[in-house]
Amino acid sequence: MGKLLLIEDDAALASVLSLAFEDAGHEAIVAKDGLDGLARVTRDRPDLVISDVNMPRLDGFSLCRRLREAGNLVPLILLTSRDSEIDEALGLELGADDYVAKPFSTRVLLLRVHALLRRKQTPGSAATARGVVAAGPLRLDPERIEARYHDTPITVTLTEFRLLEALVARPGVVFSRERLLELARGDESVVDARLVDTYVRRLRRKFEAVEPAFDGIETVVGAGYRYKDRGA
C-alpha cells in the first residue's frame, strides 16, 4: 500500500476517490488545484500522484511538465476529460506514466494505481544476482530504477525503465507494442498502444543526448521494437 496524492478540484469526486483509496488500504492526500498539488508533492513525498488535467491555477499537463523538468520522477497518472486530451498529452510527451479518461470506474483507477505501485516496489525480473543488468554500454539497476549509458546517468520514469528493461532482457527479440505495454505496466488493462511510441521517442531522445548516433532501440515496421543485439 502507498501514500497517494490526489489533485482534483471537484470536491465531490475527490471525496469519493480518496475514500476508495483509503478503503483499499492506501493513505490518501488531497490537493485542490495544481499549485497546491505541486507544493504537496515536495512536502509530503507521495508514492504516486493522480492528477486531473483541467484544474485552476496550474493544469495537469503543466504540473507533469514541471515535475519532470525538476527531475521528480514520482509515478503520475493523469485523469483526462476527453480522448482528445490523451492525444494532446501523447503529442506533448510530458512524462506521465499513465492516462485514464473520464468517466472511469473506481475499480479501473485502483487497478492502475496498484499496477504502478507494484512496478515501483518489485525489482526487475531481468536482474542478475547483483541486481544490475548490463547490455554493452548500458547499465540498468532495477533496485534503484536507475539507468546509465556510457557511465552517464539517464533520467527515466518508472514506466520508461520497465519498458527498457523488457527490451534489454532479450536483445534482438522483437516485441509488439501490446506486449511491451503488458511487460512495462504489469497489468492487462486496455491502453492506447501509441503510448509505447511515446515512451520509445522519449528514451531515444535521452540516449541521443549522450550519444547522438544512438541506434540501440530499433523499429521493426509492422511488428514493434527490439533492442539491438550488439553481439550480432
Side-chain angles (χ1 to χ4, degrees):
M1 300 300 100
K3 180 191 293 186
L4 310 182
L5 171 60
L6 173 63
I7 309 174
E8 173 59 68
D9 63 320
D10 184 330
L13 179 58
S15 178
V16 169
L17 291 179
S18 60
L19 181 60
F21 294 150
E22 290 171 353
D23 285 346
H26 303 290
E27 176 185 351
I29 305 166
V30 178
K32 62 184 179 181
D33 59 44
L35 284 181
D36 184 29
L38 192 62
R40 297 296 293 266
V41 170
T42 301
R43 185 171 76 232
D44 298 314
R45 301 177 65 84
D47 297 307
L48 186 145
V49 176
I50 305 101
S51 174
D52 192 8
V53 167
N54 292 306
M55 292 186 299
R57 298 209 296 167
L58 185 71
D59 63 70
F61 290 162
S62 299
L63 170 76
C64 181
R65 185 182 293 108
R66 287 197 190 185
L67 287 173
R68 298 315 188 218
E69 288 177 350
N72 190 317
L73 301 177
V74 59
L76 174 64
I77 298 174
L78 286 177
L79 305 179
T80 70
S81 299
R82 303 178 303 276
D83 288 341
S84 60
E85 289 181 339
I86 295 181
D87 292 337
E88 182 180 354
L90 291 173
L92 294 172
E93 300 182 16
L94 299 169
D97 290 280
D98 207 346
Y99 305 91
V100 177
K102 298 178 180 178
F104 55 81
S105 73
T106 303
R107 178 178 177 275
V108 167
L109 182 57
L110 280 170
L111 286 173
R112 300 289 183 87
V113 166
H114 292 162
L116 268 176
L117 290 175
R118 187 167 61 248
R119 274 181 270 161
K120 181 178 180 180
Q121 295 166 359
T122 305
S125 59
T128 63
R130 296 181 60 188
V132 176
V133 180
L138 176 63
R139 298 288 185 275
L140 300 178
D141 187 337
E143 295 290 343
R144 295 181 173 84
I145 316 297
E146 291 178 352
R148 300 182 73 87
Y149 191 66
H150 288 296
D151 206 33
T152 300
I154 303 292
T155 301
V156 293
T157 66
L158 177 61
T159 303
E160 290 169 349
F161 183 91
R162 295 302 187 212
L163 187 148
L164 183 60
E165 185 183 31
L167 287 168
V168 169
R170 300 183 67 187
V173 173
V174 179
F175 291 89
S176 68
R177 289 170 174 81
E178 291 76 15
R179 179 58 175 158
L180 282 173
L181 275 176
E182 181 183 338
L183 291 171
R185 292 165 55 86
D187 62 27
E188 298 179 352
S189 55
V190 178
V191 185
D192 194 326
R194 291 174 300 164
L195 274 174
V196 169
D197 299 331
T198 298
Y199 295 144
V200 169
R201 283 197 299 270
R202 291 200 311 238
L203 284 170
R204 283 173 171 162
R205 191 163 59 241
K206 292 172 182 181
F207 282 112
E208 288 166 358
V210 178
E211 181 182 34
F214 174 79
D215 61 353
I217 302 176
E218 296 183 320
T219 301
V220 180
V221 179
Y225 296 100
R226 66 184 170 198
Y227 193 79
K228 190 172 183 178
D229 187 349
R230 297 181 180 273

